[in-house]
Amino acid sequence: MSLPPRRRVLPCLFVLLAASWLGLHPATSHAAPPPGADISPVAAGPLSSALPQGWYQSGAFMEIYVRAYQDSDGDGIGDLRGLISRLDYLQDLGIKGIWLMPINTSQDRDHGYAVVDYRNIEADYGTLADFDALLAAAHQRGIGVIMDYVINHSAADHPLFQAANRKQSPFRDWYVWSEQEPEGWQIYGNYPWYSGEEGYYFAGFWSQMPDFNLRNPAVLAWHEDNLRFWLNRGVDGFRFDAVGNLVENGPKRWEVQAENQPIMQRLVRTIQQYPNRYVVCEAPADPDGFGSQDACGSAFAFGLNNKLMTAANGHLRGIADVLRYHNQGKAHMATFTSNHDHFAGRRVFDQVYANEASNRMVAAALLTLPGIPFIYYGEEVGMDEGVGLDGDASLRVPMSWTADASGFSSGQPFRALATNIASHNLASQLGKPDSLHSHYRAMLQLRRDNPALQTGSFEQAEQSAELISFQRKSEQQRLLVLLNFGSEQQAKLAKLPADATLRAVYPQDATTLRTDGRGRIKLTMPAKSLRVYQF
């Protein structure tokens, strides 16, 4: 098998890197861009942040699929103006950050991961002016906004790929090509090489999403310019998509290659020129590696999500696995229980088998354990998957604001609604103390009001059957947290200070406790319950 031409850049790598460091776009610095492609350099603009230092650690993020969140103009498609109208709701819920799934102009006009224009907004969602208005309105409410950035590939309709489809194009080496059809490749069950006008191009996820040649410094320099374009507008950070797939070294070496982490470290350093920004990466095959300071600094804790769901359902092994994970000191990782991808799991409602008590334990664990928590839109009301849908589309359905489609749009929604919208919607839960929504709101407030739950250490973790206890300690306070994932159980705790008073933090009406002269205490934990004490 002949290697793709991307390997040919290596002999002159140092020359290309030098050009990049000088602020040039090597190999294409003198080439006229194809019509519709903006490859102009972007200098760093305002560096200040509109938010308090460390804002991303103070609460939780909401992952929002704009197309499915709120429609403002009756076309059945969610948009930025619709999202702006829901910021008061997010603020009241206790959200401190929003992760926007891709909002760039895209070829797919749906999920957004086939980007056509990295410096513009999908027309269905609005305009750059609408985005600026969203940032301003979010910042006024103390909410940060991070964007999904698709670094691994563009859309096949992107003007740069259209130009690269000609062998003599100065942009040929911006993508991955092979003159002959490579053999032996299979990625996610598919053959990833596709016939172009001249040669074969590599597209690991879909034929219409060709991979960038990220060994080409000109491509990396352009991505940095794109990031600065949004940072200059005031965005608060990025979620990077599929960072384990950036470089391929052969049919058996196409994921989590050694070159990937330095690429991400370079981009993170560019972003860090702007203070108080947050970066999180998606790398299911190596979350710890990409969560390190040698790469992204934070990554989604894939694997923990399954352990959390198993624990919420009362299984002893899952409960033990959750404690084992957090004993390793991974407070910088982004924790979650579901997201927009089916491979990460179904909606929480389905994973807990529609058991609301277990659903409440999901929120309690996610928001009292270490990490930077992410909630997928609709989790707070128990949204289910879409009627008659499967795969990723079933997870990306209109938000259940009311018992029918009217809360989302005055027109015909772009996609089927959640199967349980009649019973699990915001309007039916808002203001009701015993509702799932009120529980999520209480858990978010608990985290927001207690510094130890935001950034405190994780100590003295113990398990007794389905009950776990641990301490969270910060400079300001020390907390004892108990989570009972099973039936009613008596907790017998040691390793506490002698003759200490334990004041109830959650629920606030719980009885104040006092340890004995040896630092021991007994208390009864109701089934599927949370208790938090300060001492």
Side-chain angles (χ1 to χ4, degrees):
M1 181 196 76
S2 63
L3 291 176
R6 81 190 303 175
R7 318 300 184 234
R8 299 174 187 163
V9 304
L10 291 176
C12 56
L13 180 59
F14 293 108
V15 174
L16 295 171
L17 283 172
S20 176
W21 292 330
L22 291 172
L24 303 176
H25 283 194
T28 54
S29 58
H30 301 293
D38 186 351
I39 63 169
S40 59
V42 177
L47 302 181
S48 61
S49 170
L51 299 170
Q53 184 65 32
W55 59 273
Y56 47 87
Q57 296 176 304
S58 64
F61 280 82
M62 181 73 78
E63 179 191 354
I64 291 178
Y65 176 39
V66 171
R67 185 172 295 270
Y69 204 62
Q70 181 66 64
D71 174 23
S72 71
D73 57 12
D75 66 355
I77 296 172
D79 47 53
L80 294 176
R81 287 288 171 185
L83 174 54
I84 291 172
S85 74
R86 293 295 186 177
L87 288 177
D88 285 341
Y89 163 73
L90 292 169
Q91 182 185 26
D92 178 75
L93 182 62
I95 295 300
K96 287 295 183 179
I98 296 171
W99 158 24
L100 298 175
M101 286 177 60
I103 59 171
N104 301 108
T105 308
S106 71
Q107 177 178 334
D108 56 85
R109 301 289 297 276
D110 187 348
H111 54 78
Y113 288 99
V115 179
V116 171
D117 189 344
Y118 279 81
R119 302 183 189 179
N120 212 338
I121 299 294
E122 172 61 51
D124 288 340
Y125 298 164
T127 65
L128 284 169
D130 292 331
F131 180 75
D132 293 341
L134 170 65
L135 284 181
H139 290 162
Q140 287 172 2
R141 294 163 174 81
I143 297 174
V145 178
I146 67 171
M147 295 178 64
D148 218 321
Y149 193 86
V150 186
I151 181 178
N152 179 68
H153 51 263
S154 75
D157 282 353
H158 197 291
L160 288 171
F161 181 74
Q162 293 296 304
N165 211 357
R166 299 184 301 276
K167 190 176 293 185
Q168 300 306 315
S169 169
F171 297 95
R172 180 72 167 184
D173 201 38
W174 278 50
Y175 292 85
V176 184
W177 295 89
S178 176
E179 294 182 9
Q180 291 80 39
E181 185 174 12
E183 297 179 356
W185 288 77
Q186 189 174 76
I187 296 180
Y188 308 125
N190 299 309
Y191 181 71
W193 293 91
Y194 300 89
S195 178
E197 291 184 16
E198 297 177 277
Y200 296 84
Y201 67 91
F202 181 84
F205 288 96
W206 178 37
S207 64
Q208 295 304 297
M209 296 194 304
D211 276 37
F212 284 113
N213 175 10
L214 293 171
R215 282 196 170 102
N216 182 345
V219 177
L220 284 181
W222 176 69
H223 277 304
E224 289 177 298
D225 285 326
N226 294 337
L227 296 173
R228 281 189 287 266
F229 176 87
W230 296 106
L231 288 163
N232 290 347
R233 302 191 88 91
V235 75
D236 303 293
F238 297 92
R239 177 264 189 188
F240 281 93
D241 180 61
V243 299
N245 300 75
L246 304 184
V247 172
E248 296 77 29
N249 288 309
K252 305 299 181 185
R253 299 170 58 207
W254 52 264
E255 190 173 35
V256 192
Q257 298 301 293
E259 297 91 335
N260 294 348
Q261 290 189 18
I263 288 173
M264 291 312 307
Q265 187 178 50
R266 170 178 168 174
L267 296 179
V268 169
R269 285 174 178 169
T270 297
I271 296 166
Q272 287 175 340
Q273 294 173 7
Y274 298 75
N276 204 26
R277 267 51 173 196
Y278 174 62
V279 174
V280 61
C281 287
E282 180 207 31
D286 186 17
D288 290 341
F290 283 93
S292 73
Q293 293 303 314
D294 293 329
C296 303
S298 182
F300 285 102
F302 282 94
L304 177 62
N305 57 315
N306 299 324
K307 296 176 176 63
L308 284 169
M309 298 309 304
T310 303
N313 287 322
H315 297 296
L316 294 177
R317 181 171 180 177
I319 296 168
D321 286 343
V322 168
L323 289 186
R324 190 176 300 112
Y325 179 91
H326 286 292
N327 275 327
Q328 297 172 18
K330 299 181 180 181
H332 62 290
M333 299 294 279
T335 55
F336 70 101
T337 48
S338 71
N339 65 21
H340 62 283
D341 282 325
H342 214 271
F343 79 82
R346 304 184 68 183
R347 281 271 183 180
V348 170
F349 179 86
D350 293 299
Q351 293 191 63
V352 298
Y353 310 102
N355 185 308
E356 187 155 316
S358 296
N359 207 334
R360 290 167 183 263
M361 292 305 297
V362 170
L366 182 69
L367 295 168
T368 58
L369 286 163
I372 300 172
F374 281 71
I375 298 168
Y376 189 37
Y377 78 96
E379 281 183 14
E380 75 275 21
V381 297
M383 263 182 67
D384 196 2
E385 299 180 8
V387 176
L389 300 172
D390 56 20
D392 294 343
S394 68
L395 305 175
R396 307 172 188 178
V397 300
M399 172 66 183
S400 297
W401 297 109
T402 57
D404 55 29
S406 62
F408 168 70
S409 175
S410 61
Q412 177 65 36
F414 75 100
R415 183 167 289 159
L417 306 176
T419 57
N420 65 351
I421 189 171
S423 59
H424 290 70
N425 61 79
L426 178 65
S428 67
Q429 298 183 27
L430 192 62
K432 295 183 178 180
D434 60 345
S435 70
L436 182 61
H437 171 268
S438 291
H439 177 71
Y440 266 86
R441 189 172 179 272
M443 292 298 97
L444 287 162
Q445 182 174 350
L446 177 67
R447 188 179 185 93
R448 187 171 67 252
D449 291 347
N450 291 277
L453 294 181
Q454 299 171 24
T455 59
S457 60
F458 181 77
E459 303 176 6
Q460 305 292 346
E462 298 184 63
Q463 178 182 2
S464 174
E466 296 93 352
L467 187 149
I468 62 173
S469 65
F470 52 89
Q471 296 176 27
R472 302 291 309 276
K473 182 181 179 181
S474 68
E475 292 182 1
Q476 300 96 325
Q477 66 178 170
R478 189 179 189 101
L479 300 177
L480 171 66
V481 180
L482 299 102
L483 290 159
N484 183 11
F485 295 100
S487 57
E488 182 177 299
Q489 184 178 342
Q490 188 176 72
K492 300 178 181 180
L493 303 177
K495 301 180 181 179
L496 294 167
D499 301 315
T501 299
L502 276 63
R503 180 181 60 82
V505 175
Y506 182 88
Q508 292 183 346
D509 60 357
T511 303
T512 298
L513 304 174
R514 189 171 180 83
T515 64
D516 66 17
R518 298 174 64 182
R520 301 174 303 185
I521 200 168
K522 294 181 181 179
L523 71 156
T524 299
M525 286 288 293
K528 302 283 187 180
S529 66
L530 166 71
R531 293 287 184 271
V532 181
Y533 297 90
Q534 181 168 322
F535 63 98

